[in-house]
Amino acid sequence: MPFQEKLRHSPPPIEVAGRRVKRYHVTADPAGIEPGVEKAAYEILPRLLPEPDGTPPATFVVLHRGGDSGAYLNAYSWVWDNVLHCRVAVAGQPALGCPDRDPTHFLLLDRPLIGCVWELPPLLHERDAWVRHLLAPEHTTDAPGPTGLDAYIADILPDGTTGDHRS
């Protein structure tokens, strides 16, 4: 089967365990990710988050519903001021150690994987948004609106396909 981009949806940010979380959902299904899979993924999310270290408490997640039985939640959290901490949970994928094919049965992934080709596009946008709003805000325009962490959280990659990843 030839490679095809998937759909990317950006639900509103949420707060989890004191962190502000930007969300990206990836699936080939135009109906989106099933509510049960979404609910199960966000229930395990607190276990994927690092302890506070003084860095503004921000995370972005990519919830990916695979074309088979798999579901994946990648949590990328900003730590040490300018470093991404990555932790992943997986469900329904026996090849990654899941005991069954249930896409709502998430467990922590114990392999050093950071994401597949459909999960990685938000990384470039999020890197640039972090620099723009938190590391070098003096280089942004003087337009009115939020600044710092609020501006970063508001700067979301719009809905599109996984091939559309320009800020």
Side-chain angles (χ1 to χ4, degrees):
M1 174 186 261
F3 174 80
Q4 290 187 323
E5 297 291 355
K6 293 186 178 184
L7 301 171
R8 186 193 61 250
H9 177 62
S10 304
I14 59 175
E15 187 167 322
V16 176
R19 296 185 76 83
R20 299 193 45 204
V21 180
K22 296 166 74 170
R23 302 185 295 161
Y24 298 101
H25 288 183
V26 173
T27 180
D29 186 346
I33 294 177
E34 306 97 303
V37 172
E38 182 178 354
K39 180 179 184 293
Y42 290 114
E43 285 175 353
I44 199 168
L45 179 56
R47 295 180 59 198
L48 303 178
L49 303 175
E51 292 294 320
D53 71 351
T55 302
T59 294
F60 64 95
V61 298
V62 178
L63 175 56
H64 177 195
R65 184 65 166 96
D68 55 11
S69 58
Y72 315 89
L73 180 64
N74 302 344
Y76 304 98
S77 298
W78 291 103
V79 298
W80 295 357
D81 203 32
N82 60 12
V83 174
L84 271 180
H85 170 279
C86 179
R87 198 85 201 265
V88 178
V90 61
Q93 184 52 265
L96 292 177
C98 295
D100 53 44
R101 294 190 177 280
D102 178 354
T104 67
H105 187 192
F106 279 90
L107 52 96
L108 299 179
L109 184 65
D110 63 355
R111 297 183 190 185
L113 306 176
I114 64 165
C116 73
V117 296
W118 296 287
E119 298 160 356
L120 294 177
L123 280 128
L124 178 59
H125 172 83
E126 293 301 324
R127 178 260 183 217
D128 290 348
W130 190 257
V131 169
R132 188 168 39 250
H133 300 298
L134 286 140
L135 298 182
E138 66 277 3
H139 296 293
T140 61
T141 65
D142 290 328
T147 58
L149 183 57
D150 289 337
Y152 170 75
I153 296 300
D155 190 344
I156 297 172
L157 191 58
D159 291 356
T161 69
T162 50
D164 301 328
H165 55 271
R166 303 272 189 282
S167 295

